[in-house]
């Protein structure tokens, strides 16, 4: 099944912590995407790819969320930020809000972690061109086993950037709900 990650915005650590007990996490149950079932039945690979893209959305719980698999908020997001800013990971991990635990359940099988304010700023500044530029080297990092799909990662980076900008507009911060 893999580990599920919901990146989301919240006004405070307390509000973010409260998401630990929401059914399905901050993202809840993702609604079916119109046309996806038809595309699957027809075997239309281009339509499937277009409709299955990751995207920021408003969840059933009223939270702006980006639900992904395989993009860890600690190591992989730090590697992304290192590529975006040139700041080494040792410095990134030393920040007070870098992956700080705000809630935990089931012996660590569900967590809510902060993303550092500097990470949020770096993501908010990412343009579509910059997302595409950084996706290729990020896809080849050790954290992805040396290769992941750069095009898919560019979409993830672009959506993380959208989420970060939305958080800034709302004077919120970024968080990640993790479910093992």
């Amino acid at each position: 099944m893999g580990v599920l990650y919901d990146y989301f915005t919240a006004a405070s650590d307390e509000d973010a912590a409260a998401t630990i007990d929401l059914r399905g996490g901050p993202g809840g149950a993702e609604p079916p995407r119109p046309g996806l079932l038809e595309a699957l039945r027809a075997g239309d690979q281009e339509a499937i790819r277009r409709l299955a893209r990751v995207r920021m959305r408003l969840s059933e719980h009223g939270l702006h969320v980006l639900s992904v698999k395989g993009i860890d908020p600690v190591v992989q997001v730090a590697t992304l930020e290192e590529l975006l800013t040139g700041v080494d990971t040792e410095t990134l991990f030393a920040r007070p809000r870098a992956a700080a635990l705000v809630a935990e359940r089931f012996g660590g099988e569900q967590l809510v972690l902060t993303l550092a304010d500097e990470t949020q700023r770096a993501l908010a500044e990412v343009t579509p061109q910059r997302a595409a530029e950084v996706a290729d080297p990020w896809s080849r990092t050790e954290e992805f086993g040396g290769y992941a799909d750069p095009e898919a990662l560019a979409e993830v980076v672009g959506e993380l950037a959208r989420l970060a900008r939305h958080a800034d507009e709302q004077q919120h911060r970024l968080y990640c709900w993790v479910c093992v």
Side-chain angles (χ1 to χ4, degrees):
M1 171 158 173
V3 181
L4 305 176
Y5 302 98
D6 278 354
Y7 291 87
F8 67 100
T9 69
S12 67
D13 289 355
E14 293 77 22
D15 288 349
T19 67
I20 196 86
D21 293 320
L22 294 176
R23 184 181 54 81
E30 188 165 357
R33 298 184 187 182
L36 184 56
L37 184 57
E38 292 80 11
L40 288 168
R41 284 186 184 137
D44 184 343
Q45 295 303 309
E46 179 55 34
I48 292 167
R49 181 170 169 68
R50 181 176 35 80
L51 292 167
R53 287 184 176 139
V54 296
R55 61 178 167 51
M56 180 182 83
R57 64 187 169 82
L58 185 62
S59 78
E60 67 183 74
H61 302 301
L63 298 164
H64 286 87
V65 176
L66 176 64
S67 299
V68 297
K69 288 184 180 178
I71 310 292
D72 178 90
V74 180
V75 178
Q76 288 165 319
V77 171
T79 303
L80 171 61
E81 185 178 356
E82 183 176 20
L83 290 167
L84 289 170
T85 66
V87 176
D88 65 275
T89 52
E90 187 174 314
T91 302
L92 300 176
F93 288 136
R95 296 174 178 159
R97 291 186 55 79
L101 180 68
V102 296
E104 177 182 3
R105 290 288 186 272
F106 312 115
E109 289 188 6
Q110 285 185 357
L111 308 169
V112 175
L113 304 171
T114 62
L115 270 68
D117 296 334
E118 297 87 350
T119 304
Q120 181 172 327
R121 277 194 294 278
L123 288 169
E125 294 174 1
V126 171
T127 63
Q129 179 181 348
R130 184 70 177 129
E133 290 169 358
V134 76
D136 184 58
W138 192 34
S139 73
R140 290 183 274 115
T141 61
E142 182 179 331
E143 291 80 12
F144 287 112
Y147 185 78
D149 179 5
E151 190 174 318
L153 289 180
E155 290 177 9
V156 170
V157 174
E159 289 301 295
L160 282 170
R162 268 186 69 210
L163 188 65
R165 287 189 292 273
H166 177 77
D168 285 350
E169 290 166 5
Q170 300 300 309
Q171 297 182 340
H172 285 185
R173 287 177 153 164
L174 289 179
Y175 297 86
C176 187
W177 175 81
V178 181
C179 182
V180 177

